[in-house]
């Protein structure tokens, strides 16, 4: 049996809540300001971009809630791993479409791509934590 220190458990909880906060904020932004998200929906997806903007916002909100609640935290970690992987093509699309935009926008667009890796790894750590 693995014994975890109280500090380790608190750190895991804080990590899960931080990721929940990030995803929850993104969910609210998808609803409050959908236009920027519409513009990064890959054109290969069927239907209107607004549908995908709202759908991904709902998914982010649901995953955030799962991460925040201790009983569903592990499942939330797996869901966050899948969600963060699924939205990666939109982030690539944003970066590829950033030419001609302001330098700050381009920096954010390209800078998001490597940041996705630690977010996925964080979600995986939450998902794989011992019961």
């Amino acid at each position: 049996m693995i014994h975890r220190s109280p500090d380790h458990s608190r750190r895991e909880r804080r990590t899960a809540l931080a990721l929940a906060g990030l995803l929850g904020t993104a969910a609210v932004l998808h609803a409050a300001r959908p236009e920027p998200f519409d513009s990064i929906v890959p054109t290969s997806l069927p239907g209107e971009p607004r549908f995908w903007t709202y759908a991904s916002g709902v998914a982010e909100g649901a995953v955030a809630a799962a991460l925040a609640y201790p009983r569903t935290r592990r499942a939330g970690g797996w869901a966050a791993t899948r969600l963060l992987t699924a939205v990666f093509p939109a982030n690539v699309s944003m970066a590829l479409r950033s030419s001609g935009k302001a330098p700050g926008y381009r920096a954010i667009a390209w800078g998001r791509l490597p940041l996705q890796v630690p977010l996925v790894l964080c979600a995986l750590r939450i998902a794989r934590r011992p019961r």
Side-chain angles (χ1 to χ4, degrees):
M1 174 183 246
I2 296 174
H3 293 284
R4 295 185 172 247
S5 71
D7 287 341
H8 187 77
S9 296
R10 279 193 288 272
R11 185 173 50 242
E12 285 180 346
R13 185 178 72 245
R14 281 194 309 265
T15 299
L17 292 177
L19 186 55
L22 178 76
L23 290 170
T25 299
V28 170
L29 288 173
H30 277 72
R33 295 249 356 236
E35 297 83 10
F37 298 100
D38 292 345
S39 70
I40 65 170
V41 172
T43 56
S44 60
L45 290 175
E48 295 296 318
R50 183 63 52 94
F51 167 80
W52 295 105
T53 295
Y54 286 150
S56 62
V58 168
E60 286 168 337
V63 171
L67 286 166
Y69 187 61
R71 288 183 184 242
T72 57
R73 190 163 288 149
R74 287 187 75 222
W78 288 117
T81 300
R82 289 178 182 92
L83 176 67
L84 290 165
T85 303
V87 300
F88 188 73
N91 293 341
V92 170
S93 177
M94 178 183 182
L96 292 174
R97 294 179 186 180
S98 69
S99 64
K101 303 273 185 174
Y105 181 92
R106 285 195 313 272
I108 290 169
W110 286 100
R112 291 172 64 141
L113 300 179
L115 291 176
Q116 198 98 15
V117 173
L119 290 175
V120 170
L121 293 174
C122 175
L124 275 172
R125 275 194 309 278
I126 294 165
R128 291 178 174 163
R129 74 174 172 81
R131 293 184 187 264

